[in-house]
Amino acid sequence: MSTLAPTLEAFFTERLLAQRRASPRTVAAYRDSFRLLLNFVHERIGKAPSQLDIADLDAPVIGAFLNWLEHDRQNGVRTRNARLAAIHSLFRYASLLHPEHADVIRRVLAIPAKRYERTTVDFLNQNEIDALLAAVDRSKWIGRRDYALLVLAIQTGLRIGELTGLVVGDLKLARPGAHVRCHGKGRKQRATPLTAQTVAVLCVWLRERGGCHTDPAFPTIRGGPLSSDAVQRLLAKYVSLAARSCPSLCHKKVSPHILRHSCAMNLLHSGVDSSVIALWLGHESVQTTQIYIHADMAIKEKAISLTAPSNTKPGRYRPPDKLLAFLEAL
C-alpha cells in the first residue's frame, strides 16, 4: 500500500486543521502545491497519485518540480519558495511517521530556498490617488461601492483578504473613536482608526447598502462578498481610466497591495514612527516595515542634507569680515 496517500491526508486533517488550525488560505495554498506536485510526478513516471510512495518524491524529483515551476509555468522565485515550504512541511511531518524513509526525507529537507533580489516597493503618490478615485463613476451603485472600498483601502492599508472579509458590523463609524475591525494575517484581530473623510464616505455608503451586521460590507450585486479577483479587476479598470489624466500610472503595475504600500508611505511622510506603522498594518515584526524607509527617497535626501561634503575640513566657524568678527566678540 502507498505510504504517501494516507500520510498526505493525515497531514491535512491532523497537522494543518486539527493541530495547527491553519487558515483556509493556508490550506488552499498547500492543497494547490501538492496538486501541482502530484500531477507533475504522474506525468514524469506514469504512476497514479494514489499509488505514489514517499520514495517516489526524492530530492531529484522535487528539484525537477521546482525547475518546472520556474521555467515551464513561469512562476517567480517567491512562488517557488512557497511551494517548497509546503513540501518541507509535509516531509517534516512524514519524518515522524516513516523513519524507514529517513534518508529520502533528509535529502528533500536539505533543498534550500532560492535567494532573490529584493526590489523597492512601489506606491501611489497623492496625485495618482486623486486621479484613481476621480475615475470612479459614482452615479451608479457599483461605482459608489467601489469608491467606498478604495477610499477605505487607501486610508487603512488593509490587505485584500481583510477588505473582502469585512462585514457591516466591522465598520464602527460613531465619532469620536471611529475605526474598522478586521481579522488579519495569523488570526490577529486589529482595529484601525478612520479619518473624518473616510467616515463620511462610509456613512453614505452604508445608508445605501443597508443590511444587518453580519452582511458583507462590500457585496456583489447578488449580495455575496467580493472575491479577491473581483477587487483586482475593478482596480485595474479604474487605473486604466485614471491613466488618461495621470500618465504616470501607465508605468506602474497597480495591485491592491500597492494601495497598502501607499497607505504606509503616506504615514511615513507624515512623520509616523515605523513601529506605529507596523501596528497599523498588522506586521509581525517592525523589520517588515523597514522596506518603506528604503523606498522613501525624501527621507534619504533629508539624511544626506545633514552630512558635510567629503572635501570639507572640520574646524570652528571664523567670521570672514572684521565687522562680523566684532559682532561675534560681543
Side-chain angles (χ1 to χ4, degrees):
M1 181 180 178
S2 166
T3 56
L4 180 62
T7 302
L8 186 57
E9 291 178 4
F11 172 73
F12 276 93
T13 57
E14 295 179 13
R15 174 55 62 89
L16 289 185
L17 296 176
Q19 297 176 3
R20 295 182 57 185
R21 294 183 60 200
S23 69
R25 283 180 174 270
T26 300
V27 173
Y30 278 46
R31 175 204 64 200
D32 293 342
S33 297
F34 292 118
R35 286 172 62 183
L36 287 170
L37 175 61
L38 295 179
N39 285 325
F40 172 81
V41 177
H42 170 63
E43 294 181 3
R44 183 183 175 93
I45 67 176
K47 203 171 182 180
S50 59
Q51 300 301 316
L52 289 173
D53 195 77
I54 291 178
D56 293 321
L57 305 183
D58 56 10
V61 170
I62 300 300
F65 169 68
L66 297 175
N67 290 332
W68 173 76
L69 289 176
E70 285 193 82
H71 301 137
D72 290 58
R73 287 180 59 87
Q74 299 296 311
N75 290 155
V77 176
R78 293 183 183 221
T79 301
R80 173 199 184 275
N81 289 344
R83 304 299 187 199
L84 178 60
I87 294 170
H88 279 173
S89 185
L90 169 66
F91 273 67
R92 282 192 293 269
Y93 177 71
S95 67
L96 304 175
L97 304 178
H98 301 286
E100 68 275 14
H101 293 296
D103 288 340
V104 173
I105 293 172
R106 186 182 70 252
R107 294 188 181 96
V108 171
L109 292 177
I111 299 175
K114 194 169 186 177
R115 300 181 68 178
Y116 57 91
E117 294 183 2
R118 297 180 181 271
T119 58
T120 56
V121 298
D122 209 352
F123 60 95
L124 304 183
N125 59 39
Q126 193 57 52
N127 290 335
E128 292 165 340
I129 290 174
D130 292 341
L132 175 63
L133 295 177
V136 182
D137 181 8
R138 288 191 277 170
S139 65
K140 300 178 181 179
W141 181 89
I142 288 180
R144 292 189 290 274
R145 178 203 66 188
D146 295 348
Y147 183 80
L149 184 146
L150 291 175
V151 167
L152 181 65
I154 293 169
Q155 192 251 291
T156 61
L158 295 182
R159 299 180 179 91
I160 186 171
E162 296 166 349
L163 277 172
T164 56
L166 290 177
V167 297
V168 173
D170 292 328
L171 302 174
K172 311 295 184 181
L173 305 182
R175 298 192 68 85
H179 64 278
V180 57
R181 303 190 67 88
C182 73
H183 299 273
K185 193 175 181 179
R187 294 193 198 84
K188 296 190 294 291
Q189 291 188 1
R190 74 177 189 278
T192 305
L194 300 174
T195 64
Q197 294 83 354
T198 302
V199 169
V201 171
L202 292 175
C203 284
V204 172
W205 164 244
L206 289 184
R207 280 197 298 269
E208 179 178 3
R209 189 257 177 271
C212 63
H213 288 322
T214 57
D215 289 335
F218 303 102
T220 62
I221 295 178
R222 297 184 177 181
L226 283 171
S227 66
S228 297
D229 289 341
V231 175
Q232 291 173 349
R233 286 194 298 269
L234 71 87
L235 178 60
K237 177 181 69 174
Y238 296 127
V239 169
S240 178
L241 294 173
R244 299 174 185 175
S245 60
C246 187
S248 62
L249 285 171
C250 297
H251 308 292
K252 293 186 176 181
K253 186 178 180 181
V254 183
S255 67
H257 214 70
I258 294 298
L259 303 184
R260 179 171 166 85
H261 293 330
S262 303
C263 168
M265 295 303 294
N266 184 47
L267 292 171
L268 191 62
H269 289 155
S270 300
V272 179
D273 187 80
S274 59
S275 61
V276 178
I277 298 176
L279 291 172
W280 186 291
L281 298 179
H283 285 161
E284 187 71 26
S285 169
V286 177
Q287 291 183 345
T288 307
T289 314
Q290 301 303 312
I291 61 173
Y292 302 113
I293 298 178
H294 289 298
D296 188 9
M297 189 59 64
I299 289 181
K300 296 177 182 178
E301 290 175 346
K302 183 178 179 181
I304 199 171
S305 68
L306 300 175
T307 63
S310 57
N311 59 351
T312 300
K313 295 181 179 180
R316 294 184 60 185
Y317 167 76
R318 297 186 182 279
D321 186 87
K322 292 183 178 180
L323 179 58
L324 292 178
F326 167 78
L327 295 174
E328 182 72 14
L330 290 177

